[in-house]
Amino acid sequence: MLSRIQFIFVLVLCSYSSLIASSNGSGAKQLRFNRKNGEFRVLQVADMHYADGRITPCEDVLPTQFAHCTDLNTSDFIYRMIEAEKPDLIVFTGDNIFGFDATDAVKSMNAAFAPAIKSKIPWAAVLGNHDQESTLSRENVMKHIVGMENTLSQLNPIGVDVIDGFGNYNLEIHGVEGSSFVNKSILNLYFLDSGDYSTVPSIPGYGWIKPSQQFWFQQTSKKLQKTLKAPGLAYFHIPLPEYANFDSSNFTGVRQEGISSASVNSGFFTTLVGAGDVKAVFTGHDHINDFCGELTGIHLCYGGGFGYHAYGKAGWSRRARMVVVSLEKVSHGEWGAVKSIKTWKRLDDKNLTAIDGLVLWSQHPSVNRRKKPIHLIN
């Protein structure tokens, strides 16, 4: 049952979401920027590690929190974030369930994604390395996600016969209704399956984004940029080896553990640089890292650990990452193309404290050179 507060904000958000989504002719909702404020807001939820709900205890919390802390704390955090930030899209970046502790994968997924579904907000998901460790194969986990209510997730690209993994797809965000960009994608979102574990005996460790996926990304990016050179964002679970290039002198946030990328470099970062449209990458996997750092014009960002059944650090709040993409105002008050991409995180504390505001990209080169922090209002 929904609490009274949850019920009220679900009604409000149902009305709000209708402002930014319309039919694209195929029955699916076409995402677009908000006409009132010229924004598109994305909430990233990394590593929920959901299991069996109220009987699943939290990990790495303070002793005073432990007695009453369960998976439901993760659900409550999602509801709080939805109410505070009113996202236009929620992106779940893998390890959505923790397979080893999930008695029934379907029930766990249904509970994990329930806040997004009940809010009527469009959402998308990719897989991590733990999602398939319960009662469903990796393919069937993604098939179940694709069939859920309000999701824009896809099993794989339509018309692509050969591609590794499950959950490779892209979403186009169109301009506001009534503008010259109403039927054009002015923000492109890419979702990829970064795998679970290496299947090559001589290569230990985690999986990576394969050549077939990179080829699909290149072709998709090239096709989209022929129509309009719009900025892009990429979401997947396992961080790229290039995340190890940063230290406290050149990132915003914290690094409290090693970078658990694949033990081989698949070259996907070079592919991203070559494509030219992706301005930032967002991953999870390493729960107590939450930094953003820029390398060769692309920001590499962690979401920060969100889930309470995931490992963390007692006393270090669970957190979520917001990305807000804003349009420029052109002649006669019309909304134009993307002006800026900003990010910050919110902590699951009493005040949902906002931290580490940052301009990731701006169409004005001087802002890009400064990488100016942004003032946050809590």
Side-chain angles (χ1 to χ4, degrees):
M1 294 289 291
L2 289 176
S3 71
R4 179 178 175 82
I5 293 176
Q6 290 172 349
F7 180 74
I8 291 172
F9 91 76
V10 164
L11 288 178
V12 172
L13 286 165
C14 286
S15 174
Y16 173 80
S17 63
S18 68
L19 295 173
I20 52 84
S22 59
S23 174
N24 62 7
S26 64
K29 285 185 176 179
Q30 173 60 62
L31 296 176
R32 63 177 67 254
F33 280 77
N34 188 295
R35 174 186 284 177
K36 290 185 176 180
N37 59 18
E39 291 183 347
F40 190 81
R41 306 172 67 86
V42 183
L43 166 62
Q44 180 190 1
V45 176
D47 298 273
M48 288 190 291
H49 277 233
Y50 214 93
D52 289 344
R54 67 175 65 252
I55 66 172
T56 299
C58 297
E59 292 191 14
D60 297 329
V61 294
L62 295 171
T64 54
Q65 298 173 287
F66 186 79
H68 305 289
C69 190
T70 70
D71 273 340
L72 300 188
N73 288 66
T74 301
S75 299
D76 288 342
F77 186 19
I78 300 176
Y79 280 118
R80 294 183 73 203
M81 285 299 301
I82 291 172
E83 186 174 16
E85 292 286 6
K86 295 180 174 56
D88 301 315
L89 178 70
I90 304 173
V91 178
F92 297 92
T93 51
D95 283 2
N96 308 301
I97 64 172
F98 186 63
F100 288 127
D101 292 340
T103 306
D104 183 312
V106 168
K107 289 182 179 179
S108 293
M109 284 189 282
N110 291 347
F113 297 123
I117 293 170
K118 290 176 181 176
S119 72
K120 306 295 185 183
I121 293 174
W123 59 278
V126 294
L127 301 182
N129 54 294
H130 290 303
D131 292 287
Q132 77 290 341
E133 294 168 341
S134 180
T135 55
L136 291 178
S137 68
R138 196 169 182 82
E139 179 179 5
N140 285 328
V141 167
M142 199 65 209
K143 282 182 175 179
H144 180 74
I145 290 172
V146 169
M148 296 179 78
E149 193 175 350
N150 297 329
T151 189
L152 298 174
S153 307
Q154 299 171 32
L155 182 63
N156 269 326
I158 296 173
V160 177
D161 296 328
V162 179
I163 190 167
D164 287 276
F166 304 99
N168 303 288
Y169 55 102
N170 68 291
L171 295 176
E172 300 179 9
I173 317 302
H174 286 198
V176 301
E177 291 183 340
S179 75
S180 58
F181 294 103
V182 64
N183 293 318
K184 295 179 181 178
S185 180
I186 55 176
L187 174 68
N188 296 310
L189 306 183
Y190 301 97
F191 304 86
L192 295 105
D193 182 1
S194 54
D196 49 6
Y197 303 97
S198 172
T199 57
V200 181
S202 60
I203 301 176
Y206 294 109
W208 56 88
I209 294 172
K210 306 296 196 305
S212 63
Q213 298 167 278
Q214 297 190 45
F215 180 75
W216 164 78
F217 164 77
Q218 287 176 312
Q219 296 301 108
T220 304
S221 172
K222 186 182 298 184
K223 180 180 178 182
L224 289 167
Q225 290 190 72
K226 280 184 178 180
T227 303
L228 181 69
K229 289 192 176 298
L233 306 173
Y235 289 88
F236 45 91
H237 181 69
I238 297 175
L240 300 172
E242 284 78 7
Y243 275 66
N245 284 289
F246 304 112
D247 57 38
S248 58
S249 69
N250 59 4
F251 65 58
T252 301
V254 298
R255 174 177 173 176
Q256 302 179 111
E257 61 177 311
I259 310 301
S260 298
S261 58
S263 60
V264 295
N265 193 325
S266 70
F268 187 51
F269 182 75
T270 302
T271 299
L272 290 169
V273 173
D277 60 336
V278 170
K279 308 306 178 185
V281 170
F282 303 94
T283 65
H285 193 54
D286 300 328
H287 305 176
I288 56 175
N289 291 340
D290 73 350
F291 66 78
C292 273
E294 185 195 5
L295 184 65
T296 322
I298 298 177
H299 270 85
L300 303 178
C301 300
Y302 280 107
F306 190 103
Y308 277 88
H309 186 54
Y311 78 82
K313 185 178 180 181
W316 192 72
S317 298
R318 265 56 176 190
R319 57 204 58 213
R321 181 172 293 282
M322 282 297 302
V323 172
V324 175
V325 185
S326 301
L327 302 180
E328 65 173 338
K329 268 285 184 74
V330 293
S331 59
H332 308 296
E334 181 182 329
W335 294 110
V338 172
K339 177 180 69 174
S340 67
I341 303 173
K342 300 176 182 179
T343 188
W344 58 85
K345 300 183 294 283
R346 283 197 183 270
L347 309 182
D348 191 21
D349 59 15
K350 181 180 179 180
N351 299 313
L352 277 180
T353 304
I355 62 170
D356 295 338
L358 187 66
V359 177
L360 296 176
W361 179 84
S362 171
Q363 66 172 332
H364 303 293
S366 61
V367 176
N368 289 329
R369 285 195 296 270
R370 292 197 302 269
K371 294 305 170 191
K372 184 179 179 181
I374 59 175
H375 176 68
L376 297 172
I377 300 175
N378 287 301

